[in-house]
PDB file of all heavy atoms in Angstrom:
ATOM      1  N   VAL A  35      23.697  73.556  52.778  1.00  0.00           N
ATOM      2  CA  VAL A  35      22.392  73.496  52.098  1.00  0.00           C
ATOM      3  C   VAL A  35      22.464  74.259  50.776  1.00  0.00           C
ATOM      4  O   VAL A  35      22.002  73.780  49.735  1.00  0.00           O
ATOM      5  CB  VAL A  35      21.279  74.064  53.022  1.00  0.00           C
ATOM      6  CG1 VAL A  35      19.996  74.339  52.251  1.00  0.00           C
ATOM      7  CG2 VAL A  35      21.022  73.094  54.170  1.00  0.00           C
ATOM      8  N   GLU A  36      23.085  75.425  50.799  1.00  0.00           N
ATOM      9  CA  GLU A  36      23.180  76.216  49.569  1.00  0.00           C
ATOM     10  C   GLU A  36      23.999  75.463  48.513  1.00  0.00           C
ATOM     11  O   GLU A  36      23.601  75.397  47.341  1.00  0.00           O
ATOM     12  CB  GLU A  36      23.808  77.589  49.855  1.00  0.00           C
ATOM     13  CG  GLU A  36      23.833  78.464  48.598  1.00  0.00           C
ATOM     14  CD  GLU A  36      24.538  79.809  48.795  1.00  0.00           C
ATOM     15  OE1 GLU A  36      25.215  80.007  49.831  1.00  0.00           O
ATOM     16  OE2 GLU A  36      24.421  80.656  47.888  1.00  0.00           O
ATOM     17  N   ALA A  37      25.127  74.879  48.931  1.00  0.00           N
ATOM     18  CA  ALA A  37      26.005  74.200  47.964  1.00  0.00           C
ATOM     19  C   ALA A  37      25.274  73.056  47.261  1.00  0.00           C
ATOM     20  O   ALA A  37      25.338  72.924  46.032  1.00  0.00           O
ATOM     21  CB  ALA A  37      27.258  73.676  48.673  1.00  0.00           C
ATOM     22  N   SER A  38      24.582  72.236  48.027  1.00  0.00           N
ATOM     23  CA  SER A  38      23.884  71.101  47.393  1.00  0.00           C
ATOM     24  C   SER A  38      22.698  71.568  46.561  1.00  0.00           C
ATOM     25  O   SER A  38      22.450  71.051  45.465  1.00  0.00           O
ATOM     26  CB  SER A  38      23.418  70.098  48.459  1.00  0.00           C
ATOM     27  OG  SER A  38      24.513  69.331  48.896  1.00  0.00           O
ATOM     28  N   THR A  39      21.965  72.542  47.061  1.00  0.00           N
ATOM     29  CA  THR A  39      20.780  73.008  46.317  1.00  0.00           C
ATOM     30  C   THR A  39      21.189  73.612  44.974  1.00  0.00           C
ATOM     31  O   THR A  39      20.508  73.412  43.954  1.00  0.00           O
ATOM     32  CB  THR A  39      19.991  74.044  47.154  1.00  0.00           C
ATOM     33  OG1 THR A  39      19.725  73.477  48.441  1.00  0.00           O
ATOM     34  CG2 THR A  39      18.680  74.417  46.483  1.00  0.00           C
ATOM     35  N   LYS A  40      22.313  74.332  44.963  1.00  0.00           N
ATOM     36  CA  LYS A  40      22.752  74.951  43.702  1.00  0.00           C
ATOM     37  C   LYS A  40      23.023  73.893  42.631  1.00  0.00           C
ATOM     38  O   LYS A  40      22.769  74.112  41.443  1.00  0.00           O
ATOM     39  CB  LYS A  40      24.025  75.778  43.946  1.00  0.00           C
ATOM     40  CG  LYS A  40      23.732  77.134  44.566  1.00  0.00           C
ATOM     41  CD  LYS A  40      24.978  77.910  44.886  1.00  0.00           C
ATOM     42  CE  LYS A  40      25.594  78.509  43.645  1.00  0.00           C
ATOM     43  NZ  LYS A  40      26.725  79.403  43.976  1.00  0.00           N
ATOM     44  N   LEU A  41      23.549  72.745  43.056  1.00  0.00           N
ATOM     45  CA  LEU A  41      23.809  71.698  42.057  1.00  0.00           C
ATOM     46  C   LEU A  41      22.509  71.156  41.469  1.00  0.00           C
ATOM     47  O   LEU A  41      22.439  70.833  40.281  1.00  0.00           O
ATOM     48  CB  LEU A  41      24.622  70.554  42.684  1.00  0.00           C
ATOM     49  CG  LEU A  41      26.047  70.915  43.119  1.00  0.00           C
ATOM     50  CD1 LEU A  41      26.758  69.693  43.681  1.00  0.00           C
ATOM     51  CD2 LEU A  41      26.842  71.486  41.938  1.00  0.00           C
ATOM     52  N   VAL A  42      21.496  71.046  42.317  1.00  0.00           N
ATOM     53  CA  VAL A  42      20.200  70.581  41.791  1.00  0.00           C
ATOM     54  C   VAL A  42      19.639  71.644  40.836  1.00  0.00           C
ATOM     55  O   VAL A  42      19.132  71.326  39.760  1.00  0.00           O
ATOM     56  CB  VAL A  42      19.195  70.288  42.937  1.00  0.00           C
ATOM     57  CG1 VAL A  42      17.900  69.704  42.373  1.00  0.00           C
ATOM     58  CG2 VAL A  42      19.792  69.336  43.965  1.00  0.00           C
ATOM     59  N   GLU A  43      19.766  72.912  41.215  1.00  0.00           N
ATOM     60  CA  GLU A  43      19.252  73.994  40.359  1.00  0.00           C
ATOM     61  C   GLU A  43      19.958  74.023  38.998  1.00  0.00           C
ATOM     62  O   GLU A  43      19.359  74.384  37.983  1.00  0.00           O
ATOM     63  CB  GLU A  43      19.449  75.350  41.056  1.00  0.00           C
ATOM     64  CG  GLU A  43      18.536  75.544  42.259  1.00  0.00           C
ATOM     65  CD  GLU A  43      18.800  76.830  43.039  1.00  0.00           C
ATOM     66  OE1 GLU A  43      19.921  77.383  42.944  1.00  0.00           O
ATOM     67  OE2 GLU A  43      17.902  77.273  43.764  1.00  0.00           O
ATOM     68  N   ALA A  44      21.225  73.644  38.996  1.00  0.00           N
ATOM     69  CA  ALA A  44      21.991  73.703  37.742  1.00  0.00           C
ATOM     70  C   ALA A  44      21.811  72.452  36.889  1.00  0.00           C
ATOM     71  O   ALA A  44      22.283  72.403  35.754  1.00  0.00           O
ATOM     72  CB  ALA A  44      23.476  73.886  38.066  1.00  0.00           C
ATOM     73  N   ASN A  45      21.124  71.453  37.414  1.00  0.00           N
ATOM     74  CA  ASN A  45      20.978  70.189  36.688  1.00  0.00           C
ATOM     75  C   ASN A  45      19.830  70.279  35.678  1.00  0.00           C
ATOM     76  O   ASN A  45      18.662  70.306  36.062  1.00  0.00           O
ATOM     77  CB  ASN A  45      20.702  69.068  37.705  1.00  0.00           C
ATOM     78  CG  ASN A  45      20.455  67.742  37.031  1.00  0.00           C
ATOM     79  OD1 ASN A  45      20.806  67.551  35.863  1.00  0.00           O
ATOM     80  ND2 ASN A  45      19.840  66.813  37.761  1.00  0.00           N
ATOM     81  N   PRO A  46      20.140  70.309  34.379  1.00  0.00           N
ATOM     82  CA  PRO A  46      19.057  70.478  33.391  1.00  0.00           C
ATOM     83  C   PRO A  46      18.120  69.282  33.346  1.00  0.00           C
ATOM     84  O   PRO A  46      17.000  69.382  32.840  1.00  0.00           O
ATOM     85  CB  PRO A  46      19.812  70.612  32.059  1.00  0.00           C
ATOM     86  CG  PRO A  46      21.165  70.037  32.292  1.00  0.00           C
ATOM     87  CD  PRO A  46      21.467  70.171  33.764  1.00  0.00           C
ATOM     88  N   LYS A  47      18.572  68.141  33.896  1.00  0.00           N
ATOM     89  CA  LYS A  47      17.704  66.951  33.841  1.00  0.00           C
ATOM     90  C   LYS A  47      16.597  67.010  34.883  1.00  0.00           C
ATOM     91  O   LYS A  47      15.633  66.270  34.813  1.00  0.00           O
ATOM     92  CB  LYS A  47      18.555  65.696  34.069  1.00  0.00           C
ATOM     93  CG  LYS A  47      19.475  65.413  32.916  1.00  0.00           C
ATOM     94  CD  LYS A  47      19.983  63.974  32.982  1.00  0.00           C
ATOM     95  CE  LYS A  47      21.175  63.799  32.093  1.00  0.00           C
ATOM     96  NZ  LYS A  47      22.401  63.527  32.833  1.00  0.00           N
ATOM     97  N   ASP A  48      16.770  67.850  35.882  1.00  0.00           N
ATOM     98  CA  ASP A  48      15.708  68.000  36.874  1.00  0.00           C
ATOM     99  C   ASP A  48      14.694  69.000  36.320  1.00  0.00           C
ATOM    100  O   ASP A  48      14.967  70.198  36.234  1.00  0.00           O
ATOM    101  CB  ASP A  48      16.291  68.504  38.203  1.00  0.00           C
ATOM    102  CG  ASP A  48      15.281  68.394  39.329  1.00  0.00           C
ATOM    103  OD1 ASP A  48      14.098  68.713  39.091  1.00  0.00           O
ATOM    104  OD2 ASP A  48      15.664  67.982  40.423  1.00  0.00           O
ATOM    105  N   ASP A  49      13.533  68.485  35.948  1.00  0.00           N
ATOM    106  CA  ASP A  49      12.597  69.352  35.230  1.00  0.00           C
ATOM    107  C   ASP A  49      11.642  70.109  36.150  1.00  0.00           C
ATOM    108  O   ASP A  49      10.620  70.620  35.706  1.00  0.00           O
ATOM    109  CB  ASP A  49      11.830  68.557  34.172  1.00  0.00           C
ATOM    110  CG  ASP A  49      10.983  67.469  34.798  1.00  0.00           C
ATOM    111  OD1 ASP A  49      10.936  67.395  36.046  1.00  0.00           O
ATOM    112  OD2 ASP A  49      10.361  66.695  34.055  1.00  0.00           O
ATOM    113  N   SER A  50      11.977  70.184  37.415  1.00  0.00           N
ATOM    114  CA  SER A  50      11.089  70.970  38.282  1.00  0.00           C
ATOM    115  C   SER A  50      11.846  71.899  39.223  1.00  0.00           C
ATOM    116  O   SER A  50      11.255  72.461  40.138  1.00  0.00           O
ATOM    117  CB  SER A  50      10.186  70.036  39.088  1.00  0.00           C
ATOM    118  OG  SER A  50      10.969  69.174  39.857  1.00  0.00           O
ATOM    119  N   VAL A  51      13.132  72.075  38.941  1.00  0.00           N
ATOM    120  CA  VAL A  51      13.956  72.956  39.772  1.00  0.00           C
ATOM    121  C   VAL A  51      14.936  73.696  38.861  1.00  0.00           C
ATOM    122  O   VAL A  51      15.555  73.081  37.988  1.00  0.00           O
ATOM    123  CB  VAL A  51      14.787  72.135  40.806  1.00  0.00           C
ATOM    124  CG1 VAL A  51      15.642  73.072  41.662  1.00  0.00           C
ATOM    125  CG2 VAL A  51      13.905  71.268  41.686  1.00  0.00           C
ATOM    126  N   GLY A  52      15.089  74.992  39.055  1.00  0.00           N
ATOM    127  CA  GLY A  52      16.155  75.762  38.413  1.00  0.00           C
ATOM    128  C   GLY A  52      16.176  75.667  36.893  1.00  0.00           C
ATOM    129  O   GLY A  52      15.140  75.690  36.214  1.00  0.00           O
ATOM    130  N   TYR A  53      17.387  75.544  36.353  1.00  0.00           N
ATOM    131  CA  TYR A  53      17.598  75.461  34.903  1.00  0.00           C
ATOM    132  C   TYR A  53      16.855  74.249  34.350  1.00  0.00           C
ATOM    133  O   TYR A  53      17.016  73.141  34.850  1.00  0.00           O
ATOM    134  CB  TYR A  53      19.102  75.344  34.640  1.00  0.00           C
ATOM    135  CG  TYR A  53      19.475  75.237  33.187  1.00  0.00           C
ATOM    136  CD1 TYR A  53      19.016  76.173  32.270  1.00  0.00           C
ATOM    137  CD2 TYR A  53      20.290  74.204  32.749  1.00  0.00           C
ATOM    138  CE1 TYR A  53      19.368  76.067  30.927  1.00  0.00           C
ATOM    139  CE2 TYR A  53      20.654  74.094  31.417  1.00  0.00           C
ATOM    140  CZ  TYR A  53      20.185  75.026  30.514  1.00  0.00           C
ATOM    141  OH  TYR A  53      20.517  74.929  29.192  1.00  0.00           O
ATOM    142  N   GLY A  54      16.033  74.483  33.329  1.00  0.00           N
ATOM    143  CA  GLY A  54      15.256  73.369  32.766  1.00  0.00           C
ATOM    144  C   GLY A  54      13.984  73.093  33.541  1.00  0.00           C
ATOM    145  O   GLY A  54      13.321  72.084  33.309  1.00  0.00           O
ATOM    146  N   GLY A  55      13.637  73.978  34.470  1.00  0.00           N
ATOM    147  CA  GLY A  55      12.386  73.806  35.222  1.00  0.00           C
ATOM    148  C   GLY A  55      11.186  73.929  34.293  1.00  0.00           C
ATOM    149  O   GLY A  55      11.274  74.462  33.185  1.00  0.00           O
ATOM    150  N   VAL A  56      10.059  73.430  34.750  1.00  0.00           N
ATOM    151  CA  VAL A  56       8.879  73.428  33.892  1.00  0.00           C
ATOM    152  C   VAL A  56       8.295  74.860  33.821  1.00  0.00           C
ATOM    153  O   VAL A  56       8.205  75.554  34.826  1.00  0.00           O
ATOM    154  CB  VAL A  56       7.883  72.362  34.401  1.00  0.00           C
ATOM    155  CG1 VAL A  56       7.278  72.751  35.727  1.00  0.00           C
ATOM    156  CG2 VAL A  56       6.807  72.085  33.392  1.00  0.00           C
ATOM    157  N   PRO A  57       7.958  75.333  32.614  1.00  0.00           N
ATOM    158  CA  PRO A  57       7.515  76.724  32.459  1.00  0.00           C
ATOM    159  C   PRO A  57       6.120  76.991  33.019  1.00  0.00           C
ATOM    160  O   PRO A  57       5.362  76.059  33.300  1.00  0.00           O
ATOM    161  CB  PRO A  57       7.501  76.930  30.941  1.00  0.00           C
ATOM    162  CG  PRO A  57       8.142  75.753  30.334  1.00  0.00           C
ATOM    163  CD  PRO A  57       8.080  74.631  31.320  1.00  0.00           C
ATOM    164  N   ASN A  58       5.797  78.275  33.077  1.00  0.00           N
ATOM    165  CA  ASN A  58       4.448  78.677  33.504  1.00  0.00           C
ATOM    166  C   ASN A  58       3.508  78.697  32.286  1.00  0.00           C
ATOM    167  O   ASN A  58       3.881  78.295  31.177  1.00  0.00           O
ATOM    168  CB  ASN A  58       4.493  80.026  34.256  1.00  0.00           C
ATOM    169  CG  ASN A  58       4.841  81.204  33.356  1.00  0.00           C
ATOM    170  OD1 ASN A  58       4.867  81.087  32.124  1.00  0.00           O
ATOM    171  ND2 ASN A  58       5.106  82.344  33.958  1.00  0.00           N
ATOM    172  N   LEU A  59       2.326  79.197  32.507  1.00  0.00           N
ATOM    173  CA  LEU A  59       1.295  79.212  31.472  1.00  0.00           C
ATOM    174  C   LEU A  59       1.718  79.953  30.202  1.00  0.00           C
ATOM    175  O   LEU A  59       1.221  79.693  29.122  1.00  0.00           O
ATOM    176  CB  LEU A  59       0.067  79.905  32.085  1.00  0.00           C
ATOM    177  CG  LEU A  59      -1.278  79.739  31.447  1.00  0.00           C
ATOM    178  CD1 LEU A  59      -1.679  78.292  31.344  1.00  0.00           C
ATOM    179  CD2 LEU A  59      -2.314  80.496  32.274  1.00  0.00           C
ATOM    180  N   LEU A  60       2.646  80.900  30.358  1.00  0.00           N
ATOM    181  CA  LEU A  60       3.092  81.679  29.200  1.00  0.00           C
ATOM    182  C   LEU A  60       4.432  81.200  28.664  1.00  0.00           C
ATOM    183  O   LEU A  60       5.065  81.882  27.855  1.00  0.00           O
ATOM    184  CB  LEU A  60       3.179  83.163  29.571  1.00  0.00           C
ATOM    185  CG  LEU A  60       1.877  83.775  30.089  1.00  0.00           C
ATOM    186  CD1 LEU A  60       2.060  85.254  30.396  1.00  0.00           C
ATOM    187  CD2 LEU A  60       0.748  83.577  29.088  1.00  0.00           C
ATOM    188  N   GLY A  61       4.886  80.058  29.148  1.00  0.00           N
ATOM    189  CA  GLY A  61       6.125  79.489  28.610  1.00  0.00           C
ATOM    190  C   GLY A  61       7.395  80.020  29.257  1.00  0.00           C
ATOM    191  O   GLY A  61       8.488  79.800  28.741  1.00  0.00           O
ATOM    192  N   LYS A  62       7.273  80.714  30.381  1.00  0.00           N
ATOM    193  CA  LYS A  62       8.458  81.237  31.066  1.00  0.00           C
ATOM    194  C   LYS A  62       8.720  80.420  32.327  1.00  0.00           C
ATOM    195  O   LYS A  62       7.780  80.119  33.075  1.00  0.00           O
ATOM    196  CB  LYS A  62       8.220  82.683  31.520  1.00  0.00           C
ATOM    197  CG  LYS A  62       7.893  83.635  30.399  1.00  0.00           C
ATOM    198  CD  LYS A  62       9.146  84.401  29.985  1.00  0.00           C
ATOM    199  CE  LYS A  62       8.895  85.485  28.983  1.00  0.00           C
ATOM    200  NZ  LYS A  62       8.885  85.118  27.597  1.00  0.00           N
TER     201      LYS A  62
END
Side-chain angles (χ1 to χ4, degrees):
V35 166
E36 184 184 12
S38 283
T39 307
K40 281 176 76 173
L41 294 182
V42 184
E43 290 175 338
N45 177 18
K47 290 197 196 113
D48 192 318
D49 63 4
S50 59
V51 180
Y53 179 53
V56 69
N58 69 11
L59 198 57
L60 303 181
K62 301 262 187 274

